[in-house]
Amino acid sequence: MTQDAAIGIHDLSFATTEFVLTHQALAAHDGTDIGKYHVGIGQQSMSVPAADEDIVTMGAAAAAPITARHGTDQIRTVVFATETSIDQSKAAGVYVHSLLGLPSSARVVEIKQACYAGTAALQFALGLVRRDPSQRVLVIASDVSKYDLGSPGEPTQGAAAVAMLIAADPALVRIEDPSGLYTADVMDFWRPNYRDTALVDGHESINAYLQALEGSWKDYIEQGGRALGEFSAFCYHQPFTKMAYKAHRHLLHVCGHDTDAAEITRAIGHTTAYNTVVGNSYTASMYLALASLLDHGEDLTDKAIGFISYGSGSVAEFFAGTVVPGYREHLRTAEHQEAVARRKPVDYARYGELHERSFPADGGDHPVPRETSGPYRLAALSRHKRIYEVR
Ligand code: HMG
């Protein structure tokens, strides 16, 4: 195993939405026993974007504290990962680049492969920093998860953005080689270009996730990765938090380990605090799990963490990171807790209106109501152009 000691996550910050819908309100609306949501899928609430929020405003809000702390001089690349893109051509990161006042001497791209794209962005960034350790890469993973109202996927929606600064000599987590990789052509979840909401075969998607986890783990071991027992915690992609429990039980079983419930909770219990109240943030989800672990876990100095990134369709990657001594001084725990606590509850009717909102495609001037109290907003769609502003 090569210990790529010197490159990894130097800073991590996340942002979410103005509004929140509790699963209690959803259950009251659809007549579901709340136990199915709180226990069965492990979700308490889900973030709901205001009319003037989207992947760009969330991405910029997540990244702004990072550029405020570290400056922008060394950032020569911005990689924006999303599967809920707002344009078929222009990268959402270009709007963020402008909102944050990043240097013009930078490259900005958007990449996609369902929820896996955040990890593709991270790996791309690691390669660039390895080539020139004086450069830093801003990785942003931002998504709004949307299924049809009344569909089985509805309780597994959510929205958030994670921004990470990838750098040499990182302050938080060193990312290691090797990675375990897995790709299989499955139709478990997809969204054709003409749809706003995802299509999903829910139960098939759970099987596809477990299959991909197993495949990426086996490849990780074949590539010379760490033994299972060396890991102190595991950050899984969390479409709903119960999925992480299902996945870890499966991994322990595949490795011939005891699937003891207490052991599973010890390994992943601290990773679910944000996802259980934010919901599925697709590309950002696994990195919200990392934020939760670092913000809530016991001292993880020099401990190995396993990362399991899954994107429907499907691609998965298993890789490891080691937590850097002194990491606690660089965390943003209070800001993260505030990002979650500041959301305003909406009732089902209001959430339904926001869910069904779309812009006319007539090329006219369409101002957007002022709703968000976040730092950036989508002000209008005018002549087919999205107009963003700093609040
Ligand atoms: P469903 O059919 O509504 O629910 O689908 P269910 O009947 O399977 O029940 C869910 C769980 O609640 C079950 O537990 C029930 O027993 C339990 P399990 O057997 O799984 O352990 N339950 C209760 N527990 C306590 N008290 C009760 C009660 N009632 C039932 N009263 C499903 C659930 C997640 C499939 C659905 O919400 C869905 O389709 N979600 C969207 C798809 C999804 O999230 N898939 C996850 C894997 S794919 C993935 O992660 C990729 C993704 O993020 C996209 C991307 O990559 O871009 C989605």
Side-chain angles (χ1 to χ4, degrees):
M1 183 185 347
T2 22
Q3 185 92 344
D4 205 338
I7 304 175
I9 303 171
H10 191 51
D11 197 358
L12 185 155
S13 154
F14 83 78
T16 183
T17 59
E18 184 72 9
F19 299 128
V20 61
L21 179 74
T22 65
H23 280 77
Q24 201 81 50
L26 180 61
H29 170 82
D30 63 21
T32 300
D33 183 328
I34 191 62
K36 175 169 172 180
Y37 294 156
H38 285 176
V39 182
I41 61 169
Q43 291 304 121
Q44 299 289 327
S45 60
M46 54 201 198
S47 286
V48 176
D52 52 352
E53 291 179 321
D54 66 7
I55 56 165
V56 169
T57 63
M58 288 193 299
I66 291 185
T67 54
R69 184 185 281 178
H70 303 278
T72 58
D73 293 356
Q74 287 171 278
I75 299 175
R76 287 179 58 79
T77 305
V78 179
V79 193
F80 196 105
T82 188
E83 60 172 297
T84 47
S85 193
I86 45 142
D87 194 287
Q88 298 282 26
S89 174
K90 180 166 174 157
V94 175
Y95 295 107
V96 175
H97 175 277
S98 164
L99 288 168
L100 297 183
L102 292 172
S104 59
S105 50
R107 59 167 83 80
V108 182
V109 290
E110 181 170 311
I111 52 175
K112 175 182 71 182
Q113 175 22 60
C115 303
Y116 168 72
T119 295
L122 171 66
Q123 294 296 346
F124 180 18
L126 293 171
L128 287 170
V129 178
R130 191 168 295 157
R131 195 172 75 177
D132 177 1
S134 72
Q135 296 186 19
R136 292 173 166 186
V137 179
L138 181 61
V139 167
I140 299 171
S142 183
D143 269 303
V144 176
S145 157
K146 258 174 112 174
Y147 297 91
D148 285 340
L149 294 178
S151 71
E154 186 181 20
T156 61
Q157 298 174 118
V162 164
M164 295 183 282
L165 192 62
I166 307 308
D169 194 17
L172 297 180
V173 181
R174 291 191 298 261
I175 302 296
E176 299 174 359
D177 287 342
S179 278
L181 304 173
Y182 181 85
T183 290
D185 181 5
V186 288
M187 292 303 281
D188 61 328
F189 167 107
W190 67 108
R191 185 170 66 84
N193 284 349
Y194 49 81
R195 285 183 63 97
D196 282 340
T197 50
L199 296 165
V200 65
D201 181 342
H203 294 279
E204 166 64 19
S205 74
I206 293 173
N207 289 335
Y209 181 130
L210 297 179
Q211 204 74 58
L213 159 63
E214 193 173 329
S216 61
W217 168 256
K218 284 183 176 159
D219 186 52
Y220 176 72
I221 292 303
E222 276 169 24
Q223 300 297 318
R226 290 173 178 270
L228 195 72
E230 291 180 43
F231 291 99
S232 293
F234 295 82
C235 292
Y236 284 89
H237 166 54
Q238 294 176 17
F240 50 94
T241 62
K242 191 73 177 290
M243 187 69 224
Y245 286 81
K246 284 180 192 289
H248 197 56
R249 193 176 308 115
H250 186 73
L251 182 60
L252 292 174
H253 175 73
V254 164
C255 296
H257 285 230
D258 200 2
T259 55
D260 176 47
E263 170 51 24
I264 296 173
T265 301
R266 190 203 57 73
I268 62 173
H270 289 303
T271 68
T272 61
Y274 296 137
N275 284 297
T276 192
V277 291
V278 165
N280 193 355
S281 54
Y282 290 161
T283 52
S285 159
M286 189 182 78
Y287 300 96
L288 243 65
L290 172 61
S292 174
L293 175 68
L294 297 178
D295 286 348
H296 300 98
E298 69 284 1
D299 184 8
L300 289 160
T301 302
D302 290 327
K303 298 273 169 53
I305 300 173
F307 293 90
I308 304 89
S309 183
Y310 175 72
S312 284
S314 68
V315 177
E317 179 160 346
F318 190 108
F319 62 100
T322 310
V323 181
V324 175
Y327 74 98
R328 279 183 154 158
E329 289 155 40
H330 306 278
L331 296 178
R332 300 177 178 278
T333 312
E335 292 96 315
H336 290 161
Q337 288 171 349
E338 172 60 16
V340 166
R342 68 180 275 279
R343 295 170 303 165
K344 301 181 184 77
V346 286
D347 61 15
Y348 189 89
R350 177 77 181 108
Y351 143 79
E353 274 168 28
L354 287 162
H355 188 281
E356 296 301 284
R357 212 171 179 284
S358 66
F359 281 115
D362 60 5
D365 287 332
H366 302 288
V368 181
R370 283 182 182 276
E371 292 183 350
T372 183
S373 58
Y376 305 99
R377 64 180 295 272
L378 171 64
L381 181 72
S382 177
R383 286 177 292 145
H384 298 297
K385 294 173 191 159
R386 293 171 94 89
I387 314 293
Y388 290 96
E389 64 184 24
V390 181
R391 273 188 64 255

